[in-house]
Amino acid sequence: MLGGAALSGTVGIVLLLLFVRQRHRFRNLAKRGVKVQGFVVERELDTDGVPYITVEYRDHLGNSHRNEPGFGSSYFPDQGTPVEVTYDRDDPTLARVEVAAKITGKVLPMVGGMCLGMAALFVPLALFVMAPLDDAVAAMNRAVDAFFDEARRGTPPPERTTTTEHAVIDEAFVEQHVRSSTGFRRMGSASGFDDGCVEGALLPSRQQVVLYLQRVGKRWKVVRAGHDDPECDDRLED
């Protein structure tokens, strides 16, 4: 979610910068440019059905030039329609087609503003959602480490403080693999606000282990632990 907000914000800033650059260019052109009448000589549709035009005009020396505005719009005129063109006297190939400039001047800041607005909306929303989830993952990982520590010490199920009262723990798996392990490498996790799954490998055997945890009050506790867990497998795959 934060990535989407950052992308929207970046796009919005880029579009607004393009608008400022285009506006500055057009203002300079308006001051020193030459205005003539041109004509739409081509009007074609792109793959999305948006029309693009080609405008032809003549400079003060009588030379013919063509300009293809880089922004499509259904408001663009049909072929043969006269349009106003402003070109640079020093370089007549640099020109502004008034109808295209007006559309670009409206669309770029509008789209840019929308992207910035989306970013402004998603950033606090992402922080509101992601921050608690990050805290949940951190607390869940601490609970997993505590569970392994108790299991390695040989603490029996009724005395374990890291499991729920009716936890389903594969004790044979714990006896055979967990107690002789020296560490745990996390391979993935899927966390909600109140429960979650953690998968990984015990070291040094690299034996796979999957744990399902729930939030009990302010603490996270292990509910299921073993080589496999169908519910967690589905959640971890998603």
Side-chain angles (χ1 to χ4, degrees), residues 1-213:
M1 191 176 289
L2 278 174
L7 179 60
S8 295
T10 302
V11 171
I13 292 172
V14 169
L15 289 175
L16 289 177
L17 288 176
L18 285 174
F19 167 70
V20 172
R21 178 177 176 272
Q22 190 86 325
R23 186 177 179 84
H24 177 71
R25 177 193 165 203
F26 284 167
R27 279 186 173 180
N28 288 338
L29 190 59
K31 291 179 181 178
R32 65 172 186 270
V34 179
K35 291 187 178 182
V36 296
Q37 186 180 73
F39 293 90
V40 178
V41 293
E42 292 182 12
R43 188 176 192 271
E44 298 180 350
L45 301 180
D46 64 9
T47 55
D48 296 322
V50 177
Y52 281 77
I53 64 171
T54 300
V55 173
E56 186 173 88
Y57 60 95
R58 291 186 179 276
D59 62 25
H60 58 289
L61 298 177
N63 297 317
S64 179
H65 303 277
R66 289 196 171 196
N67 183 283
E68 297 179 359
F71 196 91
S73 170
S74 59
Y75 297 108
F76 276 174
D78 294 327
Q79 186 172 341
T81 303
V83 293
E84 184 178 299
V85 178
T86 304
Y87 69 85
D88 190 326
R89 178 179 289 272
D90 297 329
D91 185 0
T93 61
L94 296 178
R96 158 179 166 158
V97 179
E98 295 300 324
V99 62
K102 290 178 181 179
I103 294 170
T104 304
K106 292 179 180 179
V107 172
L108 281 181
M110 180 180 68
V111 175
M114 288 175 60
C115 290
L116 288 176
M118 291 174 63
L121 173 65
F122 281 125
V123 166
L125 180 62
L127 293 175
F128 177 77
V129 174
M130 296 302 294
L133 282 179
D134 289 342
D135 293 342
V137 171
M140 194 168 61
N141 287 333
R142 290 194 296 269
V144 169
D145 292 338
F147 167 76
F148 284 137
D149 288 341
E150 280 193 331
R152 292 188 188 103
R153 289 196 300 267
T155 306
E159 299 178 13
R160 287 184 191 147
T161 60
T162 57
T163 59
T164 58
E165 183 179 355
H166 302 291
V168 180
I169 309 297
D170 186 343
E171 291 300 328
F173 180 85
V174 171
E175 183 67 30
Q176 182 178 356
H177 299 288
V178 177
R179 286 183 184 164
S180 60
S181 66
T182 59
F184 175 67
R185 178 180 296 168
R186 290 171 180 80
M187 307 296 288
S189 63
S191 175
F193 292 105
D194 298 313
D195 70 341
C197 299
V198 176
E199 67 174 343
L202 295 168
L203 301 176
S205 65
R206 296 186 180 180
Q207 173 64 51
Q208 177 181 326
V209 58
V210 182
L211 304 97
Y212 172 70
L213 300 91

